[in-house]
Amino acid sequence: MSSDPTTDERGLRADLLTPSVVAVPGANVEVELQILNTSAVIEQIQVNVLGVEVESAASEPATLTLFPDESARLLLRLRFPTQLASGTHTALLQVTGQSMRSIAECELIVDVPPVPDVAVALEPPLVRGAGRAEYTVAAENRGNTVL
């Protein structure tokens, strides 16, 4: 599959107007879809994101209802988790009509830049005494890339 429009024989067509995004973990990205109801019934549209973990997803309008042969744009705001591994991911946007259970699918390319983040702690944090002490250094990789 690609970002080319797909049509379900039962009545939905979806065009992905934003075929790829750069998603900094923890920040919102916007994806725009053009959706056409080719069925003979009124459809309420829902969009699901598959294949890539999403922290949150919201659409504008929140509810999209399309009459037969009606077309509208839907803006999808996605937030990916901070631990999403850096690199290129492929997400499947599944557009579903609730009346006829029509489905149209589009592939979204998600490029995630590396975000290094490390936490370092001394254990124990405090030693009382005179002279010498031994510490253990604990390092934790909290980023989305190998350090």
Side-chain angles (χ1 to χ4, degrees):
M1 283 183 214
S2 67
S3 63
D4 293 337
T6 61
T7 305
D8 184 308
E9 62 278 355
R10 293 175 286 178
L12 281 181
R13 177 183 167 117
D15 294 300
L16 185 56
L17 304 178
T18 314
S20 65
V21 292
V22 175
V24 176
N28 287 331
V29 295
E30 294 184 345
V31 176
E32 196 170 17
L33 294 133
Q34 182 76 34
I35 302 169
L36 171 65
N37 179 7
T38 60
S39 74
V41 298
I42 299 170
E43 284 285 9
Q44 187 170 2
I45 305 301
Q46 177 180 337
V47 179
N48 293 311
V49 181
L50 307 173
V52 175
E53 184 181 355
V54 176
E55 189 173 281
S56 68
S59 65
E60 189 178 306
T63 302
L64 179 60
T65 303
L66 294 176
F67 286 87
D69 296 321
E70 183 179 16
S71 176
R73 287 192 179 188
L74 183 127
L75 182 66
L76 190 61
R77 284 189 186 88
L78 304 172
R79 179 185 296 258
F80 297 95
T82 56
Q83 296 299 320
L84 183 61
S86 62
T88 300
H89 304 270
T90 302
L92 183 66
L93 302 182
Q94 190 176 62
V95 181
T96 307
Q98 300 304 303
S99 299
M100 301 283 291
R101 296 285 184 219
S102 302
I103 297 174
E105 297 176 336
C106 299
E107 283 188 357
L108 172 67
I109 303 301
V110 181
D111 289 316
V112 181
V115 179
D117 185 14
V118 66
V120 178
L122 290 176
E123 294 178 10
L126 177 65
V127 174
R128 295 186 189 266
R132 199 177 131 157
E134 287 189 30
Y135 293 93
T136 301
V137 176
E140 179 184 0
N141 182 358
R142 295 183 180 173
N144 70 347
T145 189
V146 177
L147 297 177

